């Protein structure tokens, strides 16, 4: 059955994906996204599907997704500094909130990739839907997965040095930026049935 975003329980939540096509979105890099049963589905990669119509400052971004294998790899990019000409621009000029269950504590679901860590793994099994809320609160970023807070990132605090060439360059990101979804590789098939935004609640989450 096709997913219809319809009216959400939170009346001020605004859908960025219409459930029908890629209107408002643009893809850069290898692979792509298709719309399958009302969901965005990754194909190949590494590429980036980014939302072209606006940048986002203080808000809560919600992404509802499911994987097909525990090791499926994807991510949600936030605070992208400018329209990305390629997927690596988002890596080095934004933050990636990782989707990849079972990885080490710096590279698993819910962390700011290689900059924050978590010992928690509230990912649901492949085939089940996960709800990720990303609070953009000034410079701060909080990530909650299935009701569990995984990340509370304050970029004014020290982050570990870059260890690998594919990890993001360190440095400041803008308070407002573009957002995007990653299609990482041919083996990873991830579906997104909701990408929405709502005003940040007073005091964060």
């Amino acid at each position: 059955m096709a997913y219809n975003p319809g009216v959400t329980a939170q009346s001020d939540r605004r859908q960025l994906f219409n459930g029908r096509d890629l209107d408002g979105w643009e893809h850069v890099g290898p692979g792509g996204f298709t719309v399958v049963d009302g969901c965005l589905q990754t194909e190949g990669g590494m590429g980036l599907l980014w939302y072209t119509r606006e940048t986002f400052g203080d808000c809560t971004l919600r992404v509802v997704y499911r994987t097909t294998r525990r090791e499926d790899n994807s991510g949600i990019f936030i605070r992208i500094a400018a329209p990305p000409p390629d997927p690596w621009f988002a890596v080095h000029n934004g933050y990636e909130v990782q989707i990849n269950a079972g990885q080490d504590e710096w590279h698993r679901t819910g962390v700011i990739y290689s900059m924050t860590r978590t010992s928690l793994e509230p990912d649901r099994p492949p085939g089940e839907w996960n709800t990720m809320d990303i609070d953009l609160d000034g410079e701060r970023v909080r990530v909650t997965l299935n009701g569990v807070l995984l990340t509370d990132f304050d970029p004014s605090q020290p982050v570990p040095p870059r260890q690998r060439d594919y990890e993001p360059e360190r440095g400041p990101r803008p308070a407002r930026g573009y957002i995007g979804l990653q299609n990482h590789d041919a083996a990873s098939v991830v579906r997104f049935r909701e990408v929405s935004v709502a005003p940040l609640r007073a005091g964060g989450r």
Side-chain angles (χ1 to χ4, degrees), residues 69-125:
R69 308 172 305 151
R70 181 168 167 78
E71 60 268 31
D72 281 347
N73 195 333
S74 184
I76 300 101
F77 282 88
I78 56 173
R79 303 199 190 283
I80 305 171
D86 59 68
W88 287 103
F89 181 89
V91 171
H92 299 305
N93 298 276
Y95 294 130
E96 180 185 2
V97 181
Q98 174 74 331
I99 295 174
N100 194 349
Q103 295 300 305
D104 68 71
E105 60 185 3
W106 294 98
H107 300 91
R108 65 173 48 132
T109 303
V111 302
I112 307 296
Y113 188 76
S114 80
M115 296 189 192
T116 68
R117 62 182 177 180
T118 182
S119 61
L120 304 174
E121 296 184 273
D123 313 71
R124 291 183 177 144

Side-chain angles (χ1 to χ4, degrees), residues 3-15 62 194 196:
Y3 177 71
N4 183 354
V7 177
T8 63
Q10 186 173 335
S11 60
D12 56 358
R13 181 163 296 282
R14 179 164 55 94
Q15 302 295 331
R62 173 170 292 175
E194 179 180 334
S196 65

Side-chain angles (χ1 to χ4, degrees), residues 11-29:
S11 60
D12 56 358
R13 181 163 296 282
R14 179 164 55 94
Q15 302 295 331
L16 305 181
F17 166 54
N18 64 21
R20 300 184 303 275
D21 55 37
L22 299 179
D23 184 41
W25 298 81
E26 183 176 316
H27 190 269
V28 293

Side-chain angles (χ1 to χ4, degrees), residues 2-173:
Y3 177 71
N4 183 354
V7 177
T8 63
Q10 186 173 335
S11 60
D12 56 358
R13 181 163 296 282
R14 179 164 55 94
Q15 302 295 331
L16 305 181
F17 166 54
N18 64 21
R20 300 184 303 275
D21 55 37
L22 299 179
D23 184 41
W25 298 81
E26 183 176 316
H27 190 269
V28 293
F33 279 75
T34 57
V35 179
V36 179
D37 295 333
C39 302
L40 293 167
Q41 179 170 296
T42 64
E43 291 187 350
M46 187 185 92
L48 176 76
L49 183 71
W50 65 284
Y51 190 69
T52 64
R53 289 181 172 162
E54 62 187 289
T55 58
F56 297 90
D58 287 3
C59 67
T60 297
L61 175 67
R62 173 170 292 175
V63 177
V64 180
Y65 72 92
R66 73 182 186 193
T67 61
T68 54
R69 308 172 305 151
R70 181 168 167 78
E71 60 268 31
D72 281 347
N73 195 333
S74 184
I76 300 101
F77 282 88
I78 56 173
R79 303 199 190 283
I80 305 171
D86 59 68
W88 287 103
F89 181 89
V91 171
H92 299 305
N93 298 276
Y95 294 130
E96 180 185 2
V97 181
Q98 174 74 331
I99 295 174
N100 194 349
Q103 295 300 305
D104 68 71
E105 60 185 3
W106 294 98
H107 300 91
R108 65 173 48 132
T109 303
V111 302
I112 307 296
Y113 188 76
S114 80
M115 296 189 192
T116 68
R117 62 182 177 180
T118 182
S119 61
L120 304 174
E121 296 184 273
D123 313 71
R124 291 183 177 144
E128 295 187 15
W129 293 106
N130 297 272
T131 298
M132 181 182 286
D133 285 329
I134 304 169
D135 291 341
L136 306 179
D137 186 3
E139 298 290 322
R140 207 160 194 149
V141 180
R142 288 182 292 273
V143 181
T144 302
L145 180 66
N146 300 324
V148 179
L149 179 65
L150 299 180
T151 292
D152 189 348
F153 175 52
D154 180 352
S156 69
Q157 300 301 308
V159 298
R162 191 172 176 228
Q163 300 292 328
R164 304 173 176 92
D165 60 3
Y166 55 79
E167 291 182 341
E169 295 173 359
R170 278 29 179 172
R173 272 48 169 178

